Amino acid sequence: MRDSFGRNIHYLRLSVTELCNLRCRYCMPEEGICKKRHDQMLTEDEMIRAVRAAASLGISKVRITGGEPLIKPNILSICRRTAAVDGILETAVTTNGIRLPELARPLREAGIQRVNISLDTLDPEKYTFITRRGTLSEALQGIEAALQAGFEKVKLNAVLIGGFNEDEIPALAALTLRWPVDMRFIELMPMPGDTLFSESACLPAARVLEMLPEAVPVKADDGVAKLYRLPKALGNIGLISPLSNRFCSQCSRLRLTADGHLKPCLHSPEELCIKGLDEAEMADAMRRAVLMKPEQCGPLSESGHSRAARPMNRIGG
Ligand code: SAM
Ligand code: SF4
């Protein structure tokens, strides 16, 4: 479906939970979030109804995210039913990887084609610091499990944080020499209420290229990521620059939060609630949400923070 600025909106990011087994400092408060009542969240049937409504409008790709999608007890059923919807050609999951050792194979069997796994550091102490509770070895075992499960693509995502993992850019990039994965570096987006990071924590993705002089550009389409490759690498390096090089003109996304709100734009406060609607009503709301998509996400707030009305874990990053 085309939005008001001619962009083809074909990609739904479906958040299936706001909860998480980690507490990454840039995403979630230490105490976690106040668990909502069941009746405030989308049911599995409502999620699938929303995917059907989206497919009827031409959405062909769904990414299942959260919070941490793999802690959702019915995640396999949600994935299987999503992948089976007519018109959905690609189903992917974004995860912190902690539960992949037991779930990678079942997810693949459920029809998930691609997996993105978050990995900000290769230092065990720093991993536990940034996630406030995870262990690096569990995340690495998750990546190994994903590679063995036979997904069409495995990508690793690192949020670039000045003074935290800048020095690890070469080591993280070198994972593409060891594994057939893409390693993507994402600029840190200051979210509402976020006081943890100073301005110097927000590094431009171009810093990655300064530290990888041997990387050469790759002409391939990876949505919003610009691609590069190290000599003899098995996968690409991706740069995702929401701040230094906004990619609003290529935006193809609609987001649905776990509590049933359509977000036309990640960084704008506008939302449309679809909880409790039937499929035709959901499709109607999605049409309106697509037409509400701004041309650009607009300036960040005066403090330089996103104007999204929620933190990342409640949007579905
Ligand atoms: N729990 C899963 C995970 O960590 O991959 C999926 C949800 S998480 C919100 C999705 C992605 O958003 C992760 O790659 C995470 O690093 C990224 N993210 C979260 N907060 C962010 C922020 N403030 N700036 C940039 N990326 C962020
Ligand atoms: Fe959880 Fe993912 Fe947010 Fe980290 S980035 S707290 S793993 S939802």
Side-chain angles (χ1 to χ4, degrees):
M1 179 185 180
R2 296 270 161 198
D3 73 3
S4 318
F5 305 95
R7 294 171 296 201
N8 182 15
I9 310 304
H10 60 84
Y11 177 10
L12 176 70
R13 290 178 78 101
L14 171 65
S15 173
V16 296
T17 180
E18 298 180 350
L19 306 178
C20 187
N21 45 358
L22 301 182
R23 298 283 183 275
C24 299
R25 288 171 190 266
Y26 45 73
C27 178
M28 235 190 179
E30 181 158 20
E31 63 279 11
I33 53 153
C34 183
K35 199 170 169 193
K36 295 204 183 120
R37 292 196 323 266
H38 260 302
D39 62 1
Q40 293 176 296
M41 310 307 283
L42 287 181
T43 63
E44 177 178 327
D45 283 345
E46 283 175 321
M47 288 178 197
I48 302 307
R49 201 183 301 155
V51 173
R52 277 201 208 103
S56 75
L57 299 176
I59 296 266
S60 58
K61 171 175 174 182
V62 178
R63 176 168 298 282
I64 292 170
T65 182
E68 174 48 40
L70 302 193
I71 63 168
K72 182 101 178 151
N74 52 344
I75 187 64
L76 291 174
S77 175
I78 293 171
C79 289
R80 192 175 305 108
R81 293 176 68 191
T82 298
V85 169
D86 268 351
I88 299 302
L89 307 178
E90 187 181 317
T91 315
V93 166
T94 296
T95 170
N96 58 35
I98 301 292
R99 294 209 61 213
L100 278 174
E102 68 241 64
L103 286 176
R105 221 168 267 283
L107 282 169
R108 184 70 187 107
E109 285 161 9
I112 297 298
Q113 288 140 306
R114 294 167 165 249
V115 181
N116 287 3
I117 306 169
S118 296
L119 182 71
D120 297 332
T121 172
L122 290 167
D123 177 311
E125 280 178 23
K126 281 163 76 177
Y127 186 88
T128 301
F129 169 80
I130 198 73
T131 61
R132 290 203 186 94
R133 56 182 62 186
T135 56
L136 177 67
S137 58
E138 287 177 307
L140 295 177
Q141 283 163 26
I143 295 170
E144 301 264 11
L147 290 170
Q148 283 162 18
F151 291 105
E152 289 170 18
K153 191 88 191 170
V154 176
K155 295 181 187 173
L156 308 181
N157 288 334
V159 178
L160 272 176
I161 307 170
F164 174 71
N165 60 4
E166 192 177 355
D167 57 333
E168 292 193 72
I169 290 171
L172 288 164
L175 294 176
T176 64
L177 304 172
R178 171 169 157 200
W179 288 322
V181 295
D182 281 9
M183 180 76 230
R184 303 174 343 143
F185 294 94
I186 307 173
E187 287 176 355
L188 173 67
M189 293 180 274
M191 296 308 285
D194 189 349
T195 51
L196 280 166
F197 297 103
S198 64
E199 247 175 60
S200 60
C202 294
L203 289 180
R207 185 86 187 98
V208 173
L209 295 182
E210 286 167 24
M211 296 192 66
L212 301 174
E214 66 281 34
V216 294
V218 172
K219 275 205 186 81
D221 184 21
D222 186 31
V224 295
K226 283 204 181 131
L227 297 181
Y228 298 82
R229 204 168 174 102
L230 296 177
K232 301 198 178 136
L234 306 170
N236 296 320
I237 309 285
L239 303 189
I240 304 181
S241 326
L243 299 190
S244 67
N245 186 8
R246 277 199 264 158
F247 33 70
C248 301
S249 65
Q250 292 140 268
C251 185
S252 58
R253 302 171 178 189
L254 188 61
R255 293 169 190 269
L256 178 56
T257 66
D259 61 353
H261 288 77
L262 290 168
K263 280 193 74 70
C265 168
L266 169 60
H267 291 300
S268 305
E270 285 75 22
E271 300 186 347
L272 270 177
C273 184
I274 61 168
K275 174 133 185 81
L277 302 186
D278 67 26
E279 191 179 318
E281 291 165 335
M282 283 187 180
D284 198 43
M286 286 178 186
R287 239 179 250 114
R288 275 185 284 137
V290 166
L291 293 176
M292 279 165 67
K293 277 180 79 68
E295 185 171 17
Q296 286 228 325
C297 51
L300 299 177
S301 73
E302 273 170 29
S303 59
H305 288 64
S306 167
R307 287 162 59 245
R310 307 157 173 258
M312 197 64 103
N313 69 291
R314 293 197 48 232
I315 298 173

